[in-house]
Amino acid sequence: MRWEGGRRGGGVDDRRGMGGGGIIGGGLGVAALALAGYFLFGIDPQVTTQVATQLGMGQGASTEGEIGSPDDPAGQFVEVIQSSTTDVWSGLINGYEEPRVVIYEGGTGTACGLGQAAMGPFYCPMDRQVYLDLSFWNTMSQQLGASGDFAQAYVIAHEVGHHVQTLDGTADRVRQAQSQARSQAEANRWQVAMELQADCYAGVWAARVGQASGGQVTLEPGDIEEGLNAASRIGDDVLSGGRASPESFTHGSSEQRVEWLRRGLQSGDPAQCDTFGSGGSSGRAK
């Protein structure tokens, strides 16, 4: 993937080197984090709980790091990809407000509670920021078998997809539907549909980024296969080793994630990302 000449918008909050300070309690909670770590990455819930306790999940204030443009290549990559998502979505949504990306190490405070590396990348709708511990790239490559620049960019674009869902009200509608769900399985289906839509939105970004960036951020041969491989490696069925039943899925199967990422890539049209309605069979939340 070509990205080195891409626009650097300065929208990165670099908290690396700050440790786990500034962690705020409440929000997601230790138990929820443990479950998230298990369902997303197959991490033993006891491990997540122990780390969260060691980091001190008490009351505190989220602390900003150095805001602007990182100097190192890894930080610059995140900045360029974030800026390119802004270029794409600004052309699709009037008055689009870009999210800030926070890069950190180990743990950090968020408006949603403890941000912790075991969770992987995540989006907090309360402060409208994407959180990323860059060690996740090693996890993707060494543990999940998903490597390459585009695989990493897909992950960032997926989290920005959740930001789009917050801006257009989808996230609120899903939370309301989940609160009225008659079972956990029904609530999970809504969550799956939301995650698959974010995958599709990541595909929309990839389809449009070359034009939106003036050719400075573009896909190269093999990148699409790289992204589809990454999607296949982070399905709930694969991450749980086949132990989780479809009713417990929160992000969708490998087949579903590949399908919706491909749909976004092929169409470049967010209107084709209706995972909630009759537009597609995968991840339907009805």
Side-chain angles (χ1 to χ4, degrees):
M1 181 177 185
R2 186 169 63 193
W3 63 270
E4 288 86 351
R7 183 176 70 86
R8 298 175 60 187
V12 173
D13 179 353
D14 191 348
R15 302 182 189 176
R16 292 173 294 178
M18 296 176 63
I23 295 170
I24 51 181
L28 294 173
V30 174
L33 295 182
L35 291 174
Y38 171 74
F39 285 116
L40 286 174
F41 310 113
I43 299 170
D44 186 337
Q46 293 183 354
V47 173
T48 304
T49 302
Q50 290 171 1
V51 173
T53 302
Q54 291 169 2
L55 287 172
M57 197 167 176
Q59 289 298 117
S62 179
T63 303
E64 289 186 343
E66 184 176 346
I67 299 173
S69 297
D71 294 328
D72 62 300
Q76 291 172 7
F77 172 78
V78 172
E79 181 185 8
V80 167
I81 299 305
Q82 185 266 350
S83 298
S84 74
T85 63
T86 298
D87 293 338
V88 168
W89 288 107
S90 294
L92 294 169
I93 300 175
N94 290 331
Y96 177 76
E97 299 176 3
E98 68 176 358
R100 178 176 292 171
V101 176
V102 178
I103 51 178
Y104 68 98
E105 295 173 329
T108 191
T110 86
C112 295
L114 170 68
Q116 194 250 343
M119 296 169 61
F122 65 96
Y123 172 75
C124 173
M126 300 295 290
D127 58 24
R128 300 190 175 187
Q129 297 188 142
V130 173
Y131 290 85
L132 172 63
D133 185 317
L134 297 184
S135 66
F136 181 68
W137 302 150
N138 292 330
T139 300
M140 283 183 62
S141 176
Q142 299 172 13
Q143 298 182 28
L144 303 181
S147 60
D149 287 347
F150 181 64
Q152 297 171 2
Y154 151 61
V155 170
I156 297 171
H158 171 97
E159 299 306 332
V160 173
H162 287 312
H163 179 63
V164 173
Q165 292 169 326
T166 295
L167 295 179
D168 69 13
T170 297
D172 285 340
R173 291 191 292 273
V174 168
R175 281 191 288 270
Q176 182 177 4
Q178 289 178 314
S179 69
Q180 299 171 353
R182 290 166 293 183
S183 66
Q184 186 60 50
E186 181 181 348
N188 287 345
R189 286 195 293 273
W190 282 101
Q191 187 64 36
V192 166
M194 189 154 153
E195 296 296 337
L196 294 179
Q197 185 178 64
D199 278 340
C200 188
Y201 283 167
V204 170
W205 162 78
R208 290 175 171 268
V209 67
Q211 181 178 1
S213 67
Q216 296 303 305
V217 181
T218 59
L219 303 190
E220 296 178 321
D223 282 341
I224 291 179
E225 291 76 12
E226 209 172 78
L228 294 175
N229 174 64
S232 73
R233 298 286 182 166
I234 55 178
D236 288 319
D237 51 342
V238 172
L239 292 176
S240 68
R243 296 187 300 272
S245 65
E247 291 76 17
S248 68
F249 287 178
T250 58
H251 282 64
S253 68
S254 291
E255 181 181 0
Q256 289 173 319
R257 301 202 71 166
V258 168
E259 174 187 342
W260 285 98
L261 175 59
R262 181 184 284 118
R263 188 172 300 202
L265 279 163
Q266 292 176 344
S267 70
D269 180 6
Q272 299 301 313
C273 297
D274 181 13
T275 55
F276 300 94
S278 58
S281 60
S282 297
R284 192 181 306 171
K286 291 186 176 180

